[in-house]
Amino acid sequence: MIRIKDIQAAFKGLVGWRQPANPAFAIDPSLEESASGLYFQDAHPMLTLENMAAVMPDTWNLQYPEWSAAQPYRKGDKVRHSGIVWAALQDSTGQEPSAADFNGDYSREDYGNPYWRPYNTLSDYVRRLAEGGMAAVVQAFLQTKQLAGETRGLLERRAFFDGAGRIKATEQNRHRIVGYEIVPIRSMGVTAKIERVGLQMYGGTGTVRLYLFHSSQPEPVRTFELQYTLQNGGYQWFALDGCHLPYISVGNNAGGAWYLCYDQDELPTGMEAVNVSKDWSREPCGTCNIGSLEAWRAITKFMQVSPFMHPAPQGFADSPLLWDIAGNIYTNTSNYGLNCEVTVGCDLTDFMIQQRQAFATALQRQVAVTALRTVALNPGVRVNRNQSNATRAELLYEIDGNPQGRAMGLAHELREAYRALSIDTSGIDRVCLACNNRGVRYTMA
C-alpha cells in the first residue's frame, strides 16, 4: 500500500539539475532546486544535459498539440507552432506564438511576446527521468523492507460483518448524522483503506452522500456520491477510490478517529436503512456465525469500529462541518445500512515524505544509472556526436563495472545507497518498520 504520486510530489526539488553553459540546453529554473544540495550531474561526468538532449526521442515534441487560433489557452499550456514548442505566459485566444529574434537561446526571460515564449522540451524529458527515478527508489525501498520481513500486509479485504438485515428491520430517519467511528491502531505507517462500502436500503432509490471526517479537521476529508438503484432492500456495493485512513498524514493529526457517515435528512424520499442484527460491543457468537467471528477478530487487531449517531446540525447539508463529537451516541446494535470492506497494510508514504532527505543519495544515483543506460543503449537510435565520446561498452562498464573482476560501477554505488537507506530506517516502528534482528550467526571455519 503506497501513494506514489504523493511521494513524487514531495520528492520534487530534493535533487536538482545544474544549468548548462550552453543556453540552447537551458531547462526550467524550477528544476535547479536541490533541498539536499545534491545534483544529478555530480553522479557521473557523462550525465550532462547535452547528452540527455542527444538521446531524447525525435518524436518527443509530438506530445504537444498544434496551435489553433480558435482554441482558448491557459497559462502554462504548451503547443507546437512553426517547428517550435511554445509555453503560454497568460490566458489568451487567437494570439499567435512568435518571437522574431529567437535564436535558440532558451535562457532569456523576455522574447517580446507577452503571451508566449519558446519552451525547451528538454525540461519535460529530464523531469520525467527524475519522476521515474523516484518511482524506482520507492519500489526498491519497499521490496528491500518486505524481503527483510520489516514491513508486510496486515489485513486483506475483510468486511465488517457477514450477512444482511431483514427487510422489515428498517431504521427510521430522525434527523441525525449516522455511521461508523473508526479508530485505527496507533502505529506509524499503519493505514486502513476502505476498498468498498455496501449499502442496504429500502423504499427508495437515488443518491446517497457519504462523508469521511477526521476528528482533527472541521471539513470533510472526502465526500462520496453513491447511486443506489435497488428498491427491494438488496445489498449494493460501491468501490471507493483512494479512501485511506492513515494514523498520521499531511491532512490529519496523529491518532484521532475517522467518521464514515451520512445525514439522514439527505437520503432520497422514502429511503430508510436496513439494520443488521449485530452487537458491536462484544465478540460475535462463534457457533452461530463463524464468519463474523473471524472477521471481528481480524479487524479488531488493527482498528476499533463503533456505530454512532448525532443530531444533525442545522444547515449541515449546505455546509457540512464536523459536529461536537463529544455528543456522539454509540449505538452498538445498529449499523445504519452500512457495511465496509477494508484493507489494512503498512503504508510508508507519510514516513518517506517526512524523511525525504534520507532518500536523496539513492535518488541521485538511481536517476544517474537510468540516464546513463539510456545514453549507452540509445533506444531512439539517434546518430549524434555523443556516440564518439564513449562506446557502449565503456558506458556499460562505468555503470556495471567488471563482472569478472572487483571493479565497481555506478550500479554498485546505487546498491550501497539502498543498503545504507535500509539500515538507517530499521527499527523505527514496531509494526511497519521493525528491526528484524536475526541474532548471532555461527559458521564452521
Side-chain angles (χ1 to χ4, degrees):
M1 188 184 296
I2 200 75
R3 306 192 302 275
I4 186 66
K5 292 189 180 297
D6 291 348
I7 296 176
Q8 287 176 323
F11 278 19
K12 285 182 180 178
L14 181 59
V15 182
W17 296 87
R18 284 197 176 93
Q19 291 284 8
N22 187 344
F25 302 106
I27 56 175
D28 285 352
S30 61
L31 296 174
E32 297 180 77
E33 181 185 353
S34 175
S36 64
L38 298 177
Y39 292 88
F40 293 116
Q41 290 99 319
D42 295 340
H44 195 276
M46 283 294 291
L47 186 59
T48 65
L49 290 173
E50 289 87 343
N51 284 342
M52 295 299 96
V55 295
M56 186 171 64
D58 292 323
T59 58
W60 189 261
N61 290 359
L62 296 181
Q63 65 183 296
Y64 309 106
E66 283 281 358
W67 174 77
S68 170
Q71 176 71 30
Y73 294 101
R74 302 182 65 84
K75 182 179 179 180
D77 287 349
K78 301 176 183 67
V79 298
R80 286 181 290 128
H81 184 60
S82 301
I84 301 174
V85 176
W86 304 82
L89 298 175
Q90 58 179 295
D91 299 352
S92 67
T93 302
Q95 302 293 333
E96 183 178 5
S98 63
D101 59 346
F102 175 63
N103 60 359
D105 182 357
Y106 290 96
S107 62
R108 291 172 49 189
E109 294 294 332
D110 183 16
Y111 293 89
N113 188 328
Y115 298 98
W116 299 92
R117 63 167 293 164
Y119 179 74
N120 189 357
T121 56
L122 179 60
S123 298
D124 284 346
Y125 185 69
V126 298
R127 182 181 290 110
R128 293 191 192 180
L129 275 176
E131 289 175 351
M134 295 171 195
V137 167
V138 171
Q139 297 302 328
F141 177 72
L142 292 179
Q143 185 178 27
T144 300
K145 292 298 182 184
Q146 289 169 348
L147 291 175
E150 297 179 17
T151 187
R152 63 195 187 278
L154 303 174
L155 181 70
E156 190 68 27
R157 288 188 174 272
R158 279 297 185 97
F160 281 174
F161 58 85
D162 292 345
R166 295 181 297 108
I167 299 301
K168 293 185 178 181
T170 56
E171 184 77 30
Q172 186 177 354
N173 297 329
R174 298 178 179 176
H175 314 291
R176 294 169 175 170
I177 306 295
V178 297
Y180 289 121
E181 178 186 83
I182 304 172
V183 181
I185 184 175
R186 263 61 171 174
S187 183
M188 177 69 71
V190 176
T191 293
K193 180 184 179 183
I194 301 178
E195 303 281 1
R196 297 191 302 168
V197 63
L199 295 181
Q200 187 180 16
M201 301 293 185
Y202 184 79
T205 61
T207 301
V208 177
R209 181 180 294 123
L210 284 185
Y211 300 97
L212 179 66
F213 285 93
H214 189 266
S215 56
S216 66
Q217 297 293 335
E219 297 180 348
V221 177
R222 296 285 301 276
T223 301
F224 304 97
E225 304 277 349
L226 310 181
Q227 299 299 321
Y228 188 79
T229 59
L230 303 178
Q231 289 184 319
N232 57 1
Y235 247 104
Q236 189 169 354
W237 287 92
F238 303 87
L240 303 186
D241 182 35
C243 187
H244 294 89
L245 314 180
Y247 163 71
I248 183 174
S249 73
V250 176
N252 64 274
N253 194 10
W258 293 89
Y259 298 94
L260 183 69
C261 57
Y262 63 86
D263 182 358
Q264 289 181 329
D265 292 341
E266 294 185 71
L267 291 179
T269 302
M271 179 183 288
E272 291 183 337
V274 177
N275 190 48
V276 173
S277 178
K278 172 181 171 58
D279 187 349
W280 290 82
S281 65
R282 60 184 180 180
E283 187 176 272
C285 172
T287 57
C288 305
N289 193 333
I290 187 64
S292 290
L293 176 62
E294 292 176 349
W296 171 271
R297 290 177 175 176
I299 290 172
T300 52
K301 288 181 181 179
F302 306 108
M303 65 178 68
Q304 178 183 338
V305 181
S306 303
F308 77 96
M309 65 178 181
H310 190 283
Q314 187 174 3
F316 182 86
D318 298 325
S319 180
L321 294 174
L322 185 66
W323 54 94
D324 182 6
I325 59 176
N328 286 352
I329 301 173
Y330 296 95
T331 53
N332 293 322
T333 58
S334 299
N335 76 307
Y336 304 107
L338 291 173
N339 196 1
C340 294
E341 183 184 67
V342 296
T343 294
V344 181
C346 288
D347 182 359
L348 302 183
T349 299
D350 296 301
F351 164 79
M352 296 181 72
I353 291 174
Q354 294 167 8
Q355 303 294 328
R356 68 174 194 148
Q357 290 287 348
F359 293 83
T361 301
L363 175 59
Q364 180 204 39
R365 292 175 182 174
Q366 180 65 65
V367 172
V369 167
T370 302
L372 287 185
R373 286 199 191 279
T374 304
V375 174
L377 301 177
N378 195 6
V381 197
R382 298 190 62 181
V383 179
N384 53 73
R385 67 174 182 82
N386 296 274
Q387 291 177 315
S388 64
N389 292 342
T391 66
R392 175 180 298 180
E394 290 171 336
L395 277 174
L396 292 177
Y397 178 84
E398 289 293 313
I399 299 170
D400 300 317
N402 182 5
Q404 282 77 38
R406 298 181 59 120
M408 302 299 185
L410 189 58
H412 171 74
E413 296 180 12
L414 175 60
R415 289 191 294 271
E416 290 296 296
Y418 281 132
R419 183 168 174 267
L421 181 61
S422 180
I423 294 173
D424 192 41
T425 55
S426 292
I428 293 177
D429 180 77
R430 64 183 176 86
V431 178
C432 284
L433 284 173
C435 182
N436 190 7
N437 188 346
R438 297 177 177 83
V440 179
R441 300 179 64 184
Y442 297 91
T443 59
M444 298 297 293

